[in-house]
Structure formats: structure tokens, C-alpha cells
Amino acid sequence: MKNGAHKTGTRESTRFVNKQLSDLWKIPTPEGHSISEPFRREEFSAALRRLKPGKFPGLDSIFPEFILHAESALKSWFCDFLTSCMRQLKIPKIWRRALVVAIPKPEKPLGDPKSYRPISLLCVPFKILDRLIYSRIETIIDPLLPQEQAGFRHGRSAVDQVTLSTQDIEDSFSAKKKAGTVFVDHTAA
């Protein structure tokens, strides 16, 4: 593929994605609000309540306490800044990166790479923006997800999946049918 053709394809792809995003911003939430309207102070306060103090910061070195204990004027500015990020579909470059730290597993040999659990430390402001956006789209996306999905859903857990599997097995047994299950081990994924 020639360089010019690649640039044209990239521009068309970018236009397509931008059109899709533009259409998504117009979708109203079940409460009648627009997804793209400015974040309300109540939404921002709810996102801050979910922020856990005592956590390590990401690459920007902003601790949760810096935002949690900030003056109301700074919080108001920050809420407006996050609205601007969402509307322009742009975030600071540092928020796109994570600080990966290897945590040793208890009672494992420190010389073995498998003895460590990697964690990603994201920037706190990005976590807040993520929570603000998620709270708006959750009510739109949740009804579209398969009933069987438990991951990334409010009020669902792995216990629900075990219960559903058990119920399927019991239903199959009662109907004198076979039931099959596939388990995938993602331990080293």
C-alpha cells in the first residue's frame, strides 16, 4: 500500500469513528439527560465518594487526597475540565499510560517471575473521568448485555455464574438431557 493510500484510509477511518462518537453523544440517558452534557456537581461528588483514599497515584503523581480535600473552587474547575475532556474527546497524554508495579506473592520464591502479581496504577483524574462516563452509559449498555454476563455489571458476581451453571445442570438432569461446560484457565494470561 502506498503512503498516500494509507493516509486516505486513515482519514476515512478517523471520520467514521468521529461520526459514530458524535451520534453516541446525542443518545439520551433513561433519566432524559444527554450523555455529552456537562457533568453535574452531584455526579462529580458521587464519583469522588467512590474514590478510595490511601491509594498510590499514577504517573502524574496526583494522590486521591489531593482531589478529595481540595477547595470547592478547585473541584468545580476540575469538574469543568473533565467535561471539556469528554466533549473534545481528548485527555492528557499522561493519563493514557499506567505505572506497572510487580507485587510479590506471599510465600513464593522471589527469583521466579511467576511469583509476582503485576498491578497497573492509573492516574487518579482519569479514574474519576472513567467513573463519570460509566455512570452515564451504564443504564444504556446494561440492557444490551447478555443476561448470562456477570462481569462488569452492577450487582453481579462470580457467585451468580456458579448459580447459573448449577441451575443449568439441574435443569438438564431433570429433562434427562446432557449439559456441557467449558472452563478456561486465564491464570497466566
Side-chain angles (χ1 to χ4, degrees):
M1 180 182 283
K2 292 185 180 178
N3 196 20
H6 175 70
K7 286 182 182 177
T8 302
T10 303
R11 274 190 234 122
E12 289 173 8
S13 176
T14 301
R15 280 190 204 113
F16 175 75
V17 168
N18 286 339
K19 168 84 171 86
Q20 294 287 325
L21 287 171
S22 175
D23 292 345
L24 283 173
W25 290 138
K26 297 172 187 167
I27 296 174
T29 64
E31 296 83 25
H33 301 292
S34 168
I35 291 176
S36 63
E37 74 181 23
F39 293 120
R40 295 180 308 284
R41 300 298 178 239
E42 311 84 60
E43 290 177 287
F44 185 71
S45 295
L48 289 184
R49 281 193 297 276
R50 294 183 59 213
L51 199 59
K52 297 176 185 173
K55 296 290 185 178
F56 279 95
L59 288 169
D60 62 359
S61 299
I62 297 176
F63 284 84
E65 290 81 4
F66 292 174
I67 298 168
L68 290 171
H69 303 299
E71 297 289 328
S72 61
L74 181 59
K75 286 181 181 178
S76 179
W77 174 87
F78 187 58
C79 183
D80 294 340
F81 176 72
L82 294 177
T83 293
S84 176
C85 287
M86 184 184 68
R87 283 210 168 148
Q88 295 176 24
L89 302 176
K90 292 183 180 180
I91 59 172
K93 286 184 181 181
I94 198 166
W95 293 3
R96 299 180 204 164
R97 300 178 63 204
L99 179 62
V100 179
V101 179
I103 306 293
K105 295 177 182 176
E107 300 178 21
K108 297 285 183 174
L110 298 179
D112 184 3
K114 292 181 181 178
S115 299
Y116 294 87
R117 180 177 59 90
I119 60 167
S120 298
L121 300 175
L122 300 174
C123 296
V124 172
F126 179 72
K127 289 180 182 181
I128 296 169
L129 178 61
D130 176 66
R131 288 181 180 137
L132 286 166
I133 293 172
Y134 180 74
S135 68
R136 286 197 176 172
I137 65 172
E138 179 184 25
T139 55
I140 297 168
I141 293 175
D142 196 60
L144 303 174
L145 296 175
Q147 186 63 29
E148 299 80 19
Q149 180 174 332
F152 306 104
R153 293 183 89 172
H154 182 70
R156 303 270 183 99
S157 69
V159 173
D160 295 321
Q161 295 302 84
V162 172
T163 304
L164 284 172
S165 296
T166 304
Q167 188 63 51
D168 284 345
I169 292 168
E170 287 179 7
D171 291 346
S172 296
F173 184 76
S174 296
K176 300 189 188 288
K177 294 183 178 180
K178 293 182 180 179
T181 303
V182 177
F183 294 97
V184 180
D185 182 7
H186 291 286
T187 303

